[in-house]
Amino acid sequence: MTTRYETLAARISERFGDQLKQVESSCGELTYEVDKDNLHEVAMALRGEHDLGFDMLMDLCGVDYLTYGQDEWLTKEATDQGFSRGVERKPVILDESDEFDPRRFAVVYHLLSLSHNWRLRLRTFTGASNPPVVRSLVDVWNSANWFEREAFDLYGILFEGHPDLRRILTDYGFIGHPFRKDFPLSGNVEVSYDAEKGRVAYQPVSIEPRTLVPRVIRDDNRYAAGIKDAGNG
């Protein structure tokens, strides 16, 4: 972390205390986690206070942490079935469970300060409610308008107080949210022109889901720890 960002981190720590929790970042950017109940208050301070000055929301995205860190292949042995090996996955159009894992859905905000020329990443989790809900930040950064609509469309995250929360990418009448981890890769319906009906007809998708990357475990002397770690002699 550069000296400039160490200065920023010190300012944020002094200003917000326990309201913001710093999260380790693999790319070296300052990343903080905020409780959704404090989101709007923190956002107002980040934008409005001169020492911080984050006057621009560059991006907003949803995240689904379902099966995060898990492997699609549950076996540790190689298979000779390769691409033909299917995946047993229950198609989900709408998850009707009463609650989600509190840390399943998150909203991530990418902020820029033009006056100080520094960036900040802010993340908040939506909690256990179904549907997931967080406070809209359109009144803080107007650019959040379409970003929040996109996150609603693709992840089903509701933004309380949004002036016009409706789908922005999928078609009218689309069922489900295609960026959720439990949404089938092939979708739930397919369309084709029906000559008898004289119109486009919807029907259940006919593509069977399957794993596209075969798991091959190589186990020979090239991968022996003693040889691998020996270096060049």
Side-chain angles (χ1 to χ4, degrees):
M1 187 184 301
T2 64
T3 304
R4 294 178 61 253
Y5 278 97
E6 289 177 353
T7 301
L8 174 59
R11 290 184 184 180
I12 290 176
S13 178
E14 181 181 0
R15 168 61 179 82
F16 296 103
D18 295 337
Q19 282 187 308
L20 290 182
K21 175 185 176 183
Q22 188 168 356
V23 180
E24 184 178 353
S25 172
S26 60
C27 56
E29 292 188 0
L30 274 182
T31 304
Y32 288 90
E33 188 174 308
V34 58
D35 188 275
K36 72 173 188 175
D37 293 335
N38 297 325
L39 174 64
H40 190 265
E41 177 187 348
V42 169
M44 290 289 289
L46 288 172
R47 187 206 66 181
E49 297 184 9
H50 177 73
D51 289 345
L52 300 170
F54 288 97
D55 45 7
M56 184 173 291
L57 174 67
M58 299 296 295
D59 191 20
L60 179 159
C61 61
V63 184
D64 183 359
Y65 285 99
L66 181 69
T67 70
Y68 178 74
Q70 298 180 17
D71 213 341
E72 188 174 29
W73 295 85
L74 301 180
T75 178
K76 293 184 178 180
E77 299 177 355
T79 174
D80 58 2
Q81 298 179 15
F83 290 93
S84 65
R85 176 174 177 173
V87 178
E88 294 182 2
R89 180 174 296 168
K90 181 181 178 181
V92 176
I93 297 179
L94 289 175
D95 190 335
E96 300 295 346
S97 58
D98 294 332
E99 293 184 346
F100 289 124
D101 184 317
R103 295 180 68 84
R104 173 176 173 180
F105 292 106
V107 182
V108 180
Y109 305 83
H110 299 264
L111 309 179
L112 170 67
S113 171
L114 295 174
S115 56
H116 299 293
N117 190 28
W118 50 37
R119 297 175 184 269
L120 182 72
R121 184 185 293 114
L122 195 64
R123 180 178 68 182
T124 187
F125 285 91
T126 62
S129 64
N130 183 11
V133 182
V134 296
R135 174 77 156 79
S136 173
L137 296 186
V138 172
D139 61 331
V140 182
W141 296 287
N142 191 52
S143 58
N145 193 319
W146 280 20
F147 292 144
E148 290 180 353
R149 284 181 58 188
E150 182 181 56
F152 160 68
D153 192 358
L154 300 180
Y155 292 93
I157 300 173
L158 301 181
F159 292 87
E160 185 179 8
H162 190 284
D164 185 23
L165 192 62
R166 53 193 169 95
R167 292 185 182 270
I168 192 173
L169 294 175
T170 57
D171 198 2
Y172 296 104
F174 188 89
I175 298 175
H177 306 284
F179 274 20
R180 288 190 176 186
K181 294 287 184 65
D182 51 14
F183 191 88
L185 292 178
S186 55
N188 288 302
V189 296
E190 61 185 26
V191 296
S192 61
Y193 181 76
D194 190 315
E196 293 183 0
K197 296 180 180 179
R199 60 177 175 82
V200 172
Y202 289 77
Q203 61 187 20
V205 67
S206 58
I207 302 174
E208 292 294 331
R210 59 190 176 93
T211 298
L212 299 179
V213 181
R215 181 181 179 89
V216 178
I217 298 180
R218 306 187 186 278
D219 188 13
D220 56 43
N221 60 356
R222 294 175 298 168
Y223 301 93
I227 298 177
K228 182 178 67 173
D229 299 335
N232 296 324

